[in-house]
């Protein structure tokens, strides 16, 4: 196995590969940050998503703690899909931003007793136990 070292200096990086050094432009290098409960919650709050802990629980449930194939291949944390298939996002943060736009279009608090009732009313999930599962996750993370 070959050892590769990455040293970032300002906007350029030196890559050392078995003694050979090359200078590359860091704008080409993208660090892929995988979603985690802390990062997703932080992003949901930054975006001002309503009921961020409930939405976080949805992402955990939909992705199997961010390990599902849909998460890895499509950056889709919420199972968003169309008639043609699952939506694909450039990053998990883009997916969070999409959720925010979706929520802003569809969620009207005055029309629903609570956020769980809203999710049921819009038919968010096919699983009849979806809300119970989301509530369980919310309770686990509120400890």
């Amino acid at each position: 196995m070959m050892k590769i070292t990455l040293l970032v200096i300002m906007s350029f990086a030196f890559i050392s590969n078995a003694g050979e050094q090359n200078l590359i432009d860091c704008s080409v290098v993208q660090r892929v940050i995988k979603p985690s409960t802390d990062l997703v919650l932080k992003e949901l709050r930054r975006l001002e998503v309503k009921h961020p802990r409930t939405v976080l629980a949805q992402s955990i449930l939909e992705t199997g703690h961010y390990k599902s194939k849909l998460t890895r291949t499509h950056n889709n944390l919420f199972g968003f899909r169309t008639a043609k298939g699952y939506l694909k996002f450039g990053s998990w943060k883009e997916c969070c931003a999409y959720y925010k736009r979706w929520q802003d279009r569809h969620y009207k608090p005055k029309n629903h007793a609570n956020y769980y009732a809203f999710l049921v009313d819009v038919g968010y999930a096919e699983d009849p136990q979806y809300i119970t599962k989301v509530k369980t996750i919310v309770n686990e993370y509120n400890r």
Side-chain angles (χ1 to χ4, degrees):
M1 189 177 239
M2 196 177 297
K3 183 178 179 183
I4 297 177
T5 307
L6 178 65
L7 173 65
V8 177
I9 301 173
M10 295 183 64
S11 67
F12 293 94
F14 290 98
I15 296 182
S16 175
N17 183 4
E20 182 181 324
Q21 292 188 346
N22 297 303
L23 184 65
I24 62 168
D25 184 346
C26 282
S27 63
V28 177
V29 177
Q30 289 187 349
R31 182 172 168 221
V32 177
I33 300 174
K34 295 180 182 178
S36 68
T37 54
D38 291 339
L39 291 174
V40 172
L41 184 58
K42 183 178 178 180
E43 184 67 8
L44 294 173
R45 286 180 172 155
R46 186 188 73 74
L47 293 168
E48 298 181 1
V49 169
K50 295 168 187 75
H51 308 281
R53 289 199 172 271
T54 301
V55 176
L56 173 70
Q58 287 181 268
S59 74
I60 292 167
L61 179 59
E62 293 284 345
T63 64
H65 291 272
Y66 312 111
K67 294 178 182 169
S68 72
K69 181 178 180 183
L70 187 62
T71 305
R72 292 189 316 270
T73 61
H74 287 61
N75 292 305
N76 191 331
L77 303 184
F78 302 100
F80 282 118
R81 63 183 176 206
T82 66
K84 295 181 180 181
Y86 287 100
L87 297 181
K88 188 171 188 173
F89 299 94
S91 72
W92 62 266
K93 286 184 177 186
E94 285 180 22
C95 184
C96 290
Y98 184 89
Y99 190 103
K100 169 66 172 159
R101 291 189 305 274
W102 174 84
Q103 189 183 63
D104 287 348
R105 278 192 315 270
H106 299 285
Y107 180 55
K108 309 296 179 226
K110 64 182 178 184
N111 297 339
H112 302 90
N114 58 50
Y115 198 68
Y116 298 115
F118 160 71
L119 293 173
V120 170
D121 290 349
V122 297
Y124 189 87
E126 297 172 0
D127 180 354
Q129 295 300 312
Y130 186 79
I131 298 302
T132 301
K133 292 174 182 178
V134 169
K135 286 180 179 180
T136 299
I137 295 169
V138 167
N139 290 334
E140 287 175 9
Y141 281 88
N142 277 339
R143 292 180 187 168

